[in-house]
Amino acid sequence: MNKTITKAIALAASLAMGTSVLAACGSSASVDPSKGKVYYLNFKPEAADQWKEVAEKYTKETGVQVTVETAASGTYEQTLKSEMAKDQAPTLFQVNGPVGYARWKDYCDDMKDTAVYKQLEDSSVALTDGDKVVGVPYVLESYGIIYNKELLQKYFSLPDATVTSIDKLNSFKALKSVADGIQKHKDELGVQGAFTSAGFDSSSDWRFKSQLAGVPLYYEFKADGITEQPAKITGSTLQNFKNIFDLYITDSTVDPTQLSSKTGEDANSEFALGDAVFYQNGTWAWTDLSSAGVEADNVGMLPIYIGAKGEEDQGLTTGSENYWCINSKASERDRKATADFLKWMITSKDGKNALAVEMGFSTPFKTFSDVKTENPLIDAYTKSLKEGKKSIPWTYTMIPSEQWKNDLGSALLEYAQGTGSWDKVKSAYVDGWATEYAAANKG
């Protein structure tokens, strides 16, 4: 039995007993207290062993004590609260985005002068508060519309193709014309539909009730200058949401009445088998696609176009729920030691290997240009940046509750199946936001 499985069993047993697990790891190597110390409260139990190893290497190399403790799955917030109350509090911790930052803003130091911020490929992905950089993502993920290059090229070659090259497929108008054309010629192209099934089984519905919803939310927030979680939204971009969702369910491999039972595995299989040309998902989907036999050189990823102004220059929707924050209440010496440790993590051979290879993270830093990725969807994000496209930041981290997502998902399914109206979607989207925000912020 390998370490990962053994650890997972131990963790599950601990959680079953209702206890919190802290996997502490430090180094017995010779340390120099005058250099300060680092205490990292790690969020990811699956990477605990790797953090222990890299902490020991850093201490051995620099003489700076690095201690890593790992919270049990699902207990990070309560563990962080407990640890922050101690005399020896974490010097390095993480938040999941604007909502998490709102809880810990008094502990987040300004990181604008740190190497990890300066080395971001795209500085817009950092978590900011006015002019302050309060969090830097160390894991970055992108989502969009994954496409089959070979099948799309077959469409481009049709005599009546409305778009004939991928660089012209850069707006909702173009996407709709291509999807409609694929649906019209599906027998000739050998596909079941332009898009994979927009399933609303729990393994698939998150792609629409949170990730797809995040795109129109972005454009509403952008128009209104919103940078923090709002108490209410107007739904000013709901028509754009309807544009893309209608396309998903009409130019599809299945009839909309089947969507309640369609799973994420179904969509993955439909794309892998070449039954569909387009598949909304993210960089994390490559593992499943590769396992299903998809060739890396046959896939790319487009932004999710919804008919918004200026979307021709839009990049992929990119963000993180894993932001490093340096504890502003730690001593100046410990804050410097922590910033130096993070710099080493993204510049040294051992640090980069730990993050990108051992932990398997897609990292957002320029310093990883020499680390080869085997994920073509990550390559699509990098290509988009090099072309000067502006990534859309994740906005669903501002969503007030899981209930909001669930209610929106139910309304979308009813609309797709013809048993509910778009007005019900609007109510779940707009009214539901205000209700859930109020419930989360009462008192």
Side-chain angles (χ1 to χ4, degrees):
M1 184 177 292
N2 64 39
K3 290 183 180 179
T4 302
I5 295 174
T6 304
K7 185 172 179 180
I9 293 173
L11 180 58
S14 174
L15 291 175
M17 292 186 290
T19 60
S20 173
V21 172
L22 274 178
C25 40
S27 174
S28 58
S30 177
V31 299
D32 182 353
S34 69
K35 294 182 176 181
K37 60 185 179 300
V38 179
Y39 168 16
Y40 178 36
L41 183 61
N42 171 39
F43 172 78
K44 293 179 173 290
E46 66 273 20
D49 290 343
Q50 291 87 353
W51 275 113
K52 178 180 179 179
E53 292 170 6
V54 79
E56 290 176 345
K57 288 179 180 178
Y58 185 76
T59 298
K60 183 176 181 181
E61 182 176 318
T62 66
V64 175
Q65 176 67 50
V66 177
T67 302
V68 180
E69 289 191 347
T70 299
S73 179
T75 71
Y76 191 81
E77 280 296 313
Q78 68 189 64
T79 302
L80 180 58
K81 185 176 181 180
S82 174
E83 292 300 297
M84 281 298 196
K86 297 179 179 178
D87 290 338
Q88 299 299 320
T91 65
L92 180 65
F93 63 101
Q94 79 167 66
V95 297
N96 67 348
V99 175
Y101 169 65
R103 289 192 289 266
W104 294 101
K105 63 187 304 180
D106 292 339
Y107 292 82
C108 296
D109 203 22
D110 189 350
M111 298 177 67
K112 66 174 175 291
D113 293 327
T114 62
V116 284
Y117 172 67
K118 292 178 179 179
Q119 290 297 329
L120 283 172
E121 286 272 10
D122 179 2
S123 61
S124 71
V125 301
L127 190 61
T128 59
D129 184 351
D131 294 332
K132 293 172 60 178
V133 176
V134 295
V136 174
Y138 62 94
V139 180
L140 202 61
E141 295 175 312
S142 300
Y143 65 89
I145 298 174
I146 302 170
Y147 63 90
N148 181 307
K149 292 181 178 180
E150 183 179 335
L151 289 173
L152 196 53
Q153 188 56 50
K154 283 180 70 175
Y155 166 78
F156 290 156
S157 300
L158 293 175
D160 61 347
T162 57
V163 174
T164 57
S165 64
I166 192 65
D167 60 303
K168 299 296 184 182
L169 189 49
N170 63 353
S171 67
F172 176 76
K173 181 178 179 181
L175 178 63
K176 185 178 188 310
S177 71
V178 169
D180 288 348
I182 291 171
Q183 204 72 14
K184 176 183 176 182
H185 293 285
K186 63 181 183 180
D187 292 338
E188 185 178 346
L189 295 171
V191 300
Q192 299 297 315
F195 287 91
T196 61
S197 55
F200 274 81
D201 171 88
S202 61
S203 65
S204 177
D205 66 346
W206 51 269
R207 295 188 291 135
F208 316 108
K209 68 185 185 183
S210 59
Q211 292 190 342
L212 182 60
V215 180
L217 277 173
Y218 162 76
Y219 280 105
E220 176 175 333
F221 292 168
K222 180 183 179 183
D224 295 341
I226 293 173
T227 58
E228 296 181 352
Q229 186 187 40
K232 60 183 180 179
I233 59 176
T234 65
S236 60
T237 55
L238 259 175
Q239 182 59 49
N240 301 96
F241 194 170
K242 187 175 185 297
N243 288 344
I244 186 66
F245 189 67
D246 281 348
L247 195 62
Y248 283 1
I249 63 176
T250 55
D251 291 352
S252 172
T253 55
V254 300
D255 188 274
T257 58
Q258 300 179 35
L259 294 180
S260 63
S261 61
K262 285 295 179 179
T263 66
E265 186 176 339
D266 288 331
N268 186 81
S269 178
E270 289 162 14
F271 186 81
L273 292 172
D275 290 337
V277 180
F278 300 120
Y279 173 33
Q280 186 203 301
N281 214 319
T283 49
W284 55 85
W286 176 242
T287 300
D288 289 338
L289 290 174
S290 178
S291 297
V294 177
E295 297 292 334
D297 60 0
N298 195 34
V299 293
M301 187 154 56
L302 293 166
I304 298 176
Y305 297 117
I306 62 173
K309 183 179 179 180
E311 68 181 0
E312 293 82 2
D313 297 319
Q314 173 186 318
L316 299 173
T317 308
T318 302
S320 179
E321 289 187 293
N322 299 277
Y323 293 86
W324 277 328
C325 301
I326 295 176
N327 187 353
S328 60
K329 298 187 184 299
S331 69
E332 182 178 351
R333 183 167 56 185
D334 289 352
R335 295 199 307 271
K336 182 181 185 304
T338 301
D340 289 344
F341 171 63
L342 293 181
K343 178 180 179 180
W344 182 88
M345 285 297 302
I346 69 161
T347 57
S348 71
K349 181 179 179 181
D350 285 337
K352 292 194 295 183
N353 183 70
L355 287 172
V357 180
E358 297 299 327
M359 300 181 203
F361 297 158
S362 171
T363 57
F365 306 107
K366 300 173 187 175
T367 49
F368 284 73
S369 60
D370 61 338
V371 179
K372 181 174 174 54
T373 174
E374 296 181 357
N375 186 333
L377 304 179
I378 294 176
D379 292 342
Y381 164 69
T382 303
K383 180 175 181 288
S384 177
L385 285 183
K386 290 179 179 177
E387 292 174 347
K389 303 294 185 182
K390 185 170 179 58
S391 300
I392 287 183
W394 285 5
T395 52
Y396 66 82
T397 54
M398 293 196 204
I399 289 173
S401 71
E402 194 67 26
Q403 190 61 47
W404 183 86
K405 299 178 189 177
N406 292 337
D407 291 344
L408 177 62
S410 295
L412 284 169
L413 176 58
E414 289 181 17
Y415 169 74
Q417 294 181 144
T419 57
S421 68
W422 188 256
D423 283 343
K424 189 170 182 178
V425 175
K426 181 178 180 179
S427 178
Y429 190 85
V430 178
D431 300 335
W433 186 289
T435 299
E436 291 303 309
Y437 179 91
N441 292 276
K442 62 184 177 181

